[in-house]
Amino acid sequence: MQNNTISNEKKNWQIHAIKTARQKQRKKDKRQNWKGKLTFILNFVILLGILMLIVLINGYGNNTKEFLLHYLKSKDFYFLIASMLMLFGVLYMYYQMDKKEFLRSPKNIFLMFCILFTSIIICYIFSKFFVLYARPCLLLAMLATVLLSKREAIFLNIVFALMLFCIDNFTAMPEGFFVTNELAIVLSPLITFIGGTFSICLMGNASTRLKILVVSLIACIPVIVLVCTLEFKFNANFFVKLSSAAFSGILSGMFAFVLQALFEWLFNKVTIYRLRELTDSNAPLMKELKERAIGTFNHSIIVAHLAESCAIAINEDATLARAMAYYHDVGKMHQPEFFTENQNSGRNPHDEILPELSVDIIRSHTKDGYQLLKKHGLPDVIVDATVQHHGTLPIKYFYAKAMKMTDGEVNIKEYSYNGTKPQTKLNAILMIVDASEAIARSLTERSAERVEQLVREVIEERMQLEQFDECDITLKELNIIKETIVDCLTGVYHDRVSYPKINLPTPDIMQKLEQGGVDQSE
């Protein structure tokens, strides 16, 4: 009866804890939603301010006060405001329906609007003070593709093209455009949309920053074709416009090249180019890891190969998985000799200290790695991997050692990692492959069956310890990950044939054999 009472109390306490956690999460989500909405409204107000500034620039040289009063009374101004309101309403609804998580991050919203602001201002300057066709109309598409995603880039490019149309028709002065065909102003959003979409498709193949410039040269071809058909006349102005259209592609690439790196730094954004730079063996932290902890470096390389293969198998970002694996153990550089993979002399310093101190040293590598990556300004998604790849797992070796020394009276939490459980599928992959590689390296028998049993036990143990409860990984994906790891590990740690020991003939005997002066039995 007493046991039932205790069991019911424990169950009620668990239910209360779950309800409390859910209430806290709902409050947190509500705060994030309000922050996102306020940030969105703030950026919209900034955009209206930019448009008003453009209006003032257009009135400069006249009586600015009279010009502004006249403009404020005209229907064009109110049409412009209404158009902007509608466009931003559509933009907000797109993210609200399709990417709610995006709106919960003020940093993401500021990044998106910064791309819009910068692209609009640069394009307006070129169309106002130079030539309409020379403005870098591909700029937004190229920036959004790299810094956001292809899908978002296509949608933002449509909004951007419509914004330019509004600016061209209701704020910019046509005589500054250097165009004789009024249809050009109407068709400018079509030119922006087609050229931008073309560049978005090509940007998927740009694996290095320098290839951005190549993409910009190719992507301006549809712009040149449209300008050629619209303004075709054999005169000097036609060739100026045609060369301006070609120059717009070069300008787009140059601005994208510079601004992409700037936005990466300002918003600590992960891009394919930055990930490739971080996973270069000459990256500063990688060179330091190789010099100070060669065993950990080699372990990280193999884990990166496994993580990348698993990410590909379940359609996740393979380049990001590789980068996370490269840096997940950089904290071991502080005391490399306390980790098995770096103990080449046969001496284990843990044999000379108490298990309590050993545990503190071992689990400190996650905190040390986190602080080191933060100091070097690496993206948050890579920094988080340092504290999530061990979650809250117990450090079994030293827990068992402490149990022997204290007759079993040990609090397991004192011998567990105090990190965060994996929040994403990639962190779950990293947790599995990190343990699987370390254990597989210690096996004497590395048959496919033995490795499969090992990986299965690793996954099952982490499921029992509820390490995957905070990420959305499925049982099917875990099974795919298991099979992928088994295939990779059996390939890395495969058995080799025993080579026979034979005495090879020396070069002088070989020469005599060729001349026939020595008996073959020699």
Side-chain angles (χ1 to χ4, degrees), residues 204-484:
N205 298 322
S207 56
T208 62
R209 294 185 193 274
L210 288 176
K211 287 186 180 179
I212 294 175
L213 299 175
V214 178
V215 168
S216 65
L217 291 173
I218 301 172
C220 71
I221 292 174
V223 179
I224 295 172
V225 172
L226 288 172
V227 171
C228 185
T229 54
L230 185 64
E231 298 280 356
F232 182 71
K233 285 180 181 178
F234 280 109
N235 55 36
N237 284 348
F238 169 70
F239 290 105
V240 170
K241 294 167 188 174
L242 204 61
S243 59
S244 297
F247 188 57
S248 72
I250 299 173
L251 278 174
S252 297
M254 290 172 61
F255 278 116
F257 185 86
V258 174
L259 291 172
Q260 177 205 310
L262 177 63
F263 288 149
E264 274 183 15
W265 176 71
L266 285 175
F267 295 95
N268 200 15
K269 191 69 178 176
V270 179
T271 66
I272 183 69
Y273 311 115
R274 192 175 183 192
L275 290 176
R276 289 182 185 277
E277 291 166 0
L278 289 173
T279 52
D280 191 312
S281 58
N282 290 320
L285 280 177
M286 284 294 98
K287 287 179 70 175
E288 188 177 355
L289 181 64
K290 189 175 182 179
E291 292 169 2
R292 297 179 61 181
I294 185 64
T296 300
F297 175 81
N298 291 329
H299 162 72
S300 298
I301 295 297
I302 299 174
V303 169
H305 167 64
L306 295 173
E308 185 178 24
S309 300
C310 292
I312 293 171
I314 63 170
N315 297 317
E316 289 291 313
D317 190 334
T319 309
L320 178 56
R322 184 170 72 248
M324 291 165 64
Y326 266 52
Y327 291 90
H328 78 285
D329 271 344
V330 291
K332 292 182 179 180
M333 286 194 295
H334 285 191
Q335 295 174 299
E337 68 279 3
F338 282 91
F339 298 90
T340 309
E341 65 267 24
N342 300 310
Q343 295 169 359
N344 299 322
S345 63
R347 173 181 169 271
N348 187 348
H350 289 290
D351 295 338
E352 304 166 7
I353 59 177
L354 293 172
E356 293 93 329
L357 182 56
S358 293
V359 164
D360 286 339
I361 294 171
I362 294 297
R363 65 185 172 191
S364 68
H365 85 273
T366 59
K367 182 183 69 174
D368 293 340
Y370 182 89
Q371 293 173 347
L372 185 63
L373 296 187
K374 274 287 187 183
K375 180 181 176 181
H376 282 75
L378 267 71
D380 290 341
V381 67
I382 297 177
V383 175
D384 291 341
T386 58
V387 293
Q388 291 184 27
H389 76 280
H390 284 302
T392 58
L393 289 170
I395 306 173
K396 293 188 292 184
Y397 179 85
F398 295 109
Y399 175 66
K401 185 177 179 181
M403 291 272 285
K404 289 180 180 178
M405 295 176 64
T406 57
D407 297 327
E409 296 180 3
V410 179
N411 184 355
I412 193 169
K413 288 186 178 180
E414 295 178 359
Y415 288 82
S416 299
Y417 285 99
N418 47 16
T420 306
K421 293 179 182 179
Q423 303 294 304
T424 65
K425 292 180 183 180
L426 289 182
N427 280 304
I429 288 174
L430 186 55
M431 172 181 274
I432 296 168
V433 298
D434 180 51
S436 299
E437 193 281 330
I439 300 173
R441 198 173 350 106
S442 64
L443 292 177
T444 53
E445 180 196 349
R446 294 176 180 140
S447 63
E449 294 78 14
R450 183 72 183 94
V451 173
E452 193 274 339
Q453 181 188 357
L454 154 73
V455 179
R456 186 176 68 251
E457 289 173 356
V458 167
I459 294 174
E460 288 176 353
E461 181 184 54
R462 279 144 186 76
M463 289 177 66
Q464 289 170 2
L465 295 173
E466 302 177 345
Q467 296 299 303
F468 304 137
D469 285 4
E470 296 178 17
C471 65
D472 58 350
I473 197 163
T474 64
L475 290 174
K476 181 179 179 181
E477 288 169 334
L478 288 172
N479 189 55
I480 293 172
I481 290 168
K482 182 196 72 174
E483 293 174 355
T484 305

Side-chain angles (χ1 to χ4, degrees), residues 17-29:
I18 291 170
K19 286 182 178 179
T20 304
R22 287 177 178 174
Q23 287 174 355
K24 287 182 180 179
Q25 187 62 41
R26 280 196 293 267
K27 287 180 181 179
K28 184 179 178 181
D29 291 343

